Amino acid sequence: MGWFRDARFGMFIHWGLYAIPGGVWNGASVPGAGEWILDGGKIDPAAYTPLQGQFNPVEFDAEEWVRIAKAAGQRYIVITSKHHDGFCLWDSRVTTFDVMGTPFKRDILRELATACEKGGIRLCFYHSIMDWTHPDYLPRRAWDPRDPEDADFDRYVGDMKSQLRELISGGYGRVGILWFDGEWEKTWTHELGLDLAKFVRGIDPSIIINNRVDKGRSGMAGLDTDGEWAGDYGTPEQEVPSMGIPGTDWETCMTMNDTWGWKTSDTNWKSSEVLVRDLCDIASKGGNFLLNVGPQPDGNIPPASVERLRAIGDWMEVNGDSIYGTSASPFRRLPFGRCTQKALPGGATRLYFHIFDWPVANASGGRTLVVPGLESPVTAARLLGATAFACEATRTDDGWSISLPETAPDAVASVLEVDIEGVPDIEQPATMPSANGALTLGAADALLTGHVRFEDRCENLGFWVSADGVARWFVRLAVGGRYRVIARMAAAPGEGGSHFTVASAPSPASQPSVNGIVPECKAWCDFVEVDIGEIELLAGESEIIVRPHTIAGSALMNLAWIRLTPTDSAASTPPPGSK
Ligand code: H79
């Protein structure tokens, strides 16, 4: 996994026959992603496959694509050798439904392999297990008139293996990753997944295989559920796991608009600012970013994509050290942005702070970045980019503060490089009781995993749509005791009645958790405070965990805060020095 972890940033390319209709079939716009048009438009494969006769991307230039990826700072390319429609972008001996049967008649993957080799980019293949046009693939789409009795799924698997052998040892260079997809259909089994992974490894033991070769993926979160699954890394799609996944390799794949394959009507582009911050965010959580482009039928990458890649590249040119070869942030959370780290020779550590929110001027007009909780001695601090400013690091009561110039070197994300002695020693932020001993756990301070989000509008946790959504807070108490639990929450009419649990960990056996029921309110932000019972907390640091038990409506609740109020005298005395 070495090169993969170092690379951190790659280009996804979705290209095939679907680029020709670009989301429009018989004059009508087909909802959904461009590459899904056969499915979304309920198109008979016999009406779709003739697109092969129109595929003629005369402006295709593999070297230009590689230049664009390199200029963006991307270190690898994952291209669709075959997507769900079954069309193959290389000269395959197994099928005539490939690029050699088009007017273009050029082996696109071979040209790209040559350009990648020359440019020092790792070439990888996305290969769909699901195949809507292969005569032996099952199950068939409901509107597909072909008789499924004639299909032989084992023969399909055999063809797929032959094709993978062509891709791995057919002169396309050293393949970095095989990126499988479409594994969720019922014909694909755990046994077939294990066998396919073994087959690929048998041809080239160094190939990285994503987890979609097997059946372990839990929905769009892309991470394996518990169990022994084949595959080297997790594949969250269109989302960033909020806490990363310690001990697991992963890669978020994402589009710049809402489609993977070219779709003429999709102009819902993310800004380059958002994409740069996504890259920082993903690196800070220990993952890779696989950012998609869907080339046009003429062979050009859409100008809107090229423009964004160039902006990211300009940022990477200056700040790439804070991304390549880094590992996840040692901080649970930082108020101003993100952080990555790298080990230095001799046991020291370099921290890279991605400053999204530049500090405002203090009373004396200066600017300082406060790094809460950093206990390690700081030996050097400097900003990346063209700035002569000498950053000074000062120890404070609860961390370090580092002086900064008035203007941020980069309006989107400035990088401050900070060297420390040894491995990071960090006192993680924790909520402490107020003067009356109460702990208020606000939505904005929650650490989130799974399907729950912070919502700005009413400052609550919301979109709590599935049982995997968990909110956690860290608290620090001088003395333990019993606490009354009040939740400020809301659910729209017809959405009440969900059950949830508030628990502490570690917890005393006597009263480890309490259950609450969500009231029905006038609207999602019409909050009410509900007393849901008592729990007991231990002295020292513990976690308060809120998770769904049963979701009655479309989502669990909107949660503004949880307040824990001491019920006995021991805990109601605030610990010395608490704020
Ligand atoms: O190639 C791009 C898309 O065409 C493809 N994956 C990216 C990289 C893609 N196929 N389907 N989807 C995206 C969305 C489909 C999701 C679902 Fe499921 C399939 C919902 C139910 C089955 C996978 C399994 C996600 C949840 C469970």
Short mmCIF file of all heavy atoms in Angstrom, two decimals, residues 133-153:
data_model
loop_
_atom_site.label_atom_id
_atom_site.label_comp_id
_atom_site.label_asym_id
_atom_site.label_seq_id
_atom_site.Cartn_x
_atom_site.Cartn_y
_atom_site.Cartn_z
N THR A 133 -24.97 -5.55 -20.75
CA THR A 133 -25.11 -5.99 -22.15
C THR A 133 -24.49 -7.36 -22.43
O THR A 133 -24.83 -7.99 -23.42
CB THR A 133 -24.46 -4.97 -23.12
OG1 THR A 133 -23.07 -4.83 -22.79
CG2 THR A 133 -25.16 -3.62 -23.04
N HIS A 134 -23.58 -7.84 -21.57
CA HIS A 134 -22.95 -9.14 -21.83
C HIS A 134 -24.03 -10.22 -21.88
O HIS A 134 -24.88 -10.29 -21.00
CB HIS A 134 -21.93 -9.45 -20.72
CG HIS A 134 -21.04 -10.61 -21.06
ND1 HIS A 134 -21.49 -11.91 -21.08
CD2 HIS A 134 -19.73 -10.65 -21.40
CE1 HIS A 134 -20.49 -12.71 -21.41
NE2 HIS A 134 -19.40 -11.97 -21.62
N PRO A 135 -23.99 -11.11 -22.90
CA PRO A 135 -25.06 -12.10 -23.06
C PRO A 135 -25.17 -13.08 -21.89
O PRO A 135 -26.24 -13.67 -21.69
CB PRO A 135 -24.67 -12.85 -24.35
CG PRO A 135 -23.26 -12.45 -24.67
CD PRO A 135 -23.03 -11.12 -24.02
N ASP A 136 -24.10 -13.23 -21.10
CA ASP A 136 -24.14 -14.21 -20.01
C ASP A 136 -24.31 -13.59 -18.64
O ASP A 136 -24.38 -14.30 -17.63
CB ASP A 136 -22.85 -15.05 -20.03
CG ASP A 136 -22.85 -16.02 -21.20
OD1 ASP A 136 -23.90 -16.67 -21.42
OD2 ASP A 136 -21.83 -16.12 -21.90
N TYR A 137 -24.36 -12.25 -18.56
CA TYR A 137 -24.50 -11.63 -17.24
C TYR A 137 -25.94 -11.77 -16.74
O TYR A 137 -26.90 -11.63 -17.50
CB TYR A 137 -24.10 -10.15 -17.26
CG TYR A 137 -24.22 -9.56 -15.88
CD1 TYR A 137 -23.22 -9.79 -14.93
CD2 TYR A 137 -25.35 -8.83 -15.49
CE1 TYR A 137 -23.35 -9.31 -13.64
CE2 TYR A 137 -25.48 -8.36 -14.20
CZ TYR A 137 -24.48 -8.60 -13.28
OH TYR A 137 -24.61 -8.13 -11.99
N LEU A 138 -26.07 -12.00 -15.48
CA LEU A 138 -27.37 -12.07 -14.80
C LEU A 138 -27.25 -11.32 -13.47
O LEU A 138 -26.16 -11.29 -12.91
CB LEU A 138 -27.75 -13.54 -14.52
CG LEU A 138 -28.08 -14.40 -15.74
CD1 LEU A 138 -28.20 -15.86 -15.33
CD2 LEU A 138 -29.36 -13.92 -16.43
N PRO A 139 -28.29 -10.75 -12.89
CA PRO A 139 -29.64 -10.71 -13.46
C PRO A 139 -29.77 -9.68 -14.58
O PRO A 139 -28.97 -8.75 -14.67
CB PRO A 139 -30.48 -10.29 -12.26
CG PRO A 139 -29.55 -9.45 -11.44
CD PRO A 139 -28.19 -10.07 -11.61
N ARG A 140 -30.80 -9.87 -15.40
CA ARG A 140 -31.09 -8.93 -16.48
C ARG A 140 -31.94 -7.77 -15.95
O ARG A 140 -32.71 -7.95 -15.01
CB ARG A 140 -31.89 -9.66 -17.58
CG ARG A 140 -31.08 -10.76 -18.29
CD ARG A 140 -30.42 -10.22 -19.53
NE ARG A 140 -29.41 -11.14 -20.07
CZ ARG A 140 -29.70 -12.16 -20.87
NH1 ARG A 140 -30.94 -12.44 -21.20
NH2 ARG A 140 -28.73 -12.91 -21.34
N ARG A 141 -31.82 -6.62 -16.61
CA ARG A 141 -32.73 -5.51 -16.29
C ARG A 141 -34.16 -5.96 -16.63
O ARG A 141 -34.35 -6.73 -17.58
CB ARG A 141 -32.40 -4.27 -17.14
CG ARG A 141 -30.96 -3.77 -17.07
CD ARG A 141 -30.67 -3.00 -15.81
NE ARG A 141 -29.92 -3.83 -14.86
CZ ARG A 141 -29.57 -3.47 -13.63
NH1 ARG A 141 -29.89 -2.28 -13.19
NH2 ARG A 141 -28.91 -4.28 -12.85
N ALA A 142 -35.13 -5.46 -15.90
CA ALA A 142 -36.52 -5.93 -16.06
C ALA A 142 -37.04 -5.75 -17.49
O ALA A 142 -37.85 -6.54 -17.96
CB ALA A 142 -37.42 -5.19 -15.08
N TRP A 143 -36.58 -4.72 -18.21
CA TRP A 143 -37.10 -4.41 -19.54
C TRP A 143 -36.26 -5.05 -20.66
O TRP A 143 -36.53 -4.86 -21.82
CB TRP A 143 -37.13 -2.89 -19.75
CG TRP A 143 -35.76 -2.27 -19.54
CD1 TRP A 143 -34.81 -2.09 -20.48
CD2 TRP A 143 -35.23 -1.81 -18.31
NE1 TRP A 143 -33.69 -1.54 -19.91
CE2 TRP A 143 -33.92 -1.36 -18.56
CE3 TRP A 143 -35.73 -1.74 -16.99
CZ2 TRP A 143 -33.10 -0.84 -17.57
CZ3 TRP A 143 -34.90 -1.22 -16.01
CH2 TRP A 143 -33.61 -0.77 -16.30
N ASP A 144 -35.23 -5.79 -20.26
CA ASP A 144 -34.34 -6.42 -21.25
C ASP A 144 -35.08 -7.61 -21.88
O ASP A 144 -35.42 -8.56 -21.19
CB ASP A 144 -33.07 -6.88 -20.52
CG ASP A 144 -32.01 -7.39 -21.47
OD1 ASP A 144 -32.37 -7.84 -22.58
OD2 ASP A 144 -30.82 -7.34 -21.09
N PRO A 145 -35.36 -7.56 -23.20
CA PRO A 145 -36.17 -8.62 -23.81
C PRO A 145 -35.41 -9.93 -24.03
O PRO A 145 -36.04 -10.94 -24.36
CB PRO A 145 -36.59 -8.00 -25.15
CG PRO A 145 -35.53 -7.01 -25.47
CD PRO A 145 -34.99 -6.51 -24.16
N ARG A 146 -34.11 -9.97 -23.84
CA ARG A 146 -33.37 -11.22 -24.09
C ARG A 146 -33.80 -12.29 -23.09
O ARG A 146 -34.09 -12.00 -21.93
CB ARG A 146 -31.86 -10.97 -23.96
CG ARG A 146 -31.30 -10.06 -25.03
CD ARG A 146 -29.83 -9.74 -24.76
NE ARG A 146 -29.64 -9.00 -23.50
CZ ARG A 146 -28.45 -8.75 -22.93
NH1 ARG A 146 -27.35 -9.19 -23.52
NH2 ARG A 146 -28.37 -8.07 -21.81
N ASP A 147 -33.82 -13.53 -23.55
CA ASP A 147 -34.25 -14.64 -22.69
C ASP A 147 -33.13 -15.01 -21.72
O ASP A 147 -32.07 -15.47 -22.16
CB ASP A 147 -34.62 -15.84 -23.57
CG ASP A 147 -35.18 -16.99 -22.74
OD1 ASP A 147 -35.22 -16.87 -21.49
OD2 ASP A 147 -35.57 -18.01 -23.34
N PRO A 148 -33.34 -14.84 -20.41
CA PRO A 148 -32.26 -15.14 -19.45
C PRO A 148 -31.88 -16.63 -19.44
O PRO A 148 -30.81 -16.99 -18.97
CB PRO A 148 -32.85 -14.71 -18.10
CG PRO A 148 -34.29 -14.49 -18.31
CD PRO A 148 -34.55 -14.31 -19.76
N GLU A 149 -32.76 -17.47 -19.97
CA GLU A 149 -32.46 -18.91 -20.03
C GLU A 149 -31.19 -19.18 -20.83
O GLU A 149 -30.51 -20.18 -20.62
CB GLU A 149 -33.63 -19.67 -20.69
CG GLU A 149 -34.88 -19.75 -19.82
CD GLU A 149 -34.62 -20.55 -18.54
OE1 GLU A 149 -34.00 -21.62 -18.61
OE2 GLU A 149 -35.04 -20.07 -17.45
N ASP A 150 -30.87 -18.28 -21.78
CA ASP A 150 -29.69 -18.50 -22.62
C ASP A 150 -28.39 -18.09 -21.93
O ASP A 150 -27.30 -18.31 -22.46
CB ASP A 150 -29.82 -17.70 -23.93
CG ASP A 150 -31.08 -18.07 -24.70
OD1 ASP A 150 -31.54 -19.23 -24.52
OD2 ASP A 150 -31.60 -17.23 -25.45
N ALA A 151 -28.52 -17.42 -20.77
CA ALA A 151 -27.32 -16.89 -20.11
C ALA A 151 -26.68 -17.93 -19.19
O ALA A 151 -27.35 -18.77 -18.60
CB ALA A 151 -27.69 -15.65 -19.31
N ASP A 152 -25.35 -17.82 -19.10
CA ASP A 152 -24.59 -18.73 -18.24
C ASP A 152 -23.61 -17.88 -17.43
O ASP A 152 -22.57 -17.45 -17.94
CB ASP A 152 -23.85 -19.74 -19.14
CG ASP A 152 -22.91 -20.64 -18.37
OD1 ASP A 152 -22.68 -20.41 -17.17
OD2 ASP A 152 -22.39 -21.60 -18.98
N PHE A 153 -23.96 -17.63 -16.17
CA PHE A 153 -23.19 -16.67 -15.36
C PHE A 153 -21.73 -17.10 -15.17
O PHE A 153 -20.83 -16.27 -15.15
CB PHE A 153 -23.87 -16.45 -14.00
CG PHE A 153 -23.32 -15.25 -13.27
CD1 PHE A 153 -23.66 -13.96 -13.67
CD2 PHE A 153 -22.45 -15.39 -12.19
CE1 PHE A 153 -23.15 -12.84 -13.01
CE2 PHE A 153 -21.94 -14.28 -11.52
CZ PHE A 153 -22.29 -13.00 -11.95
#
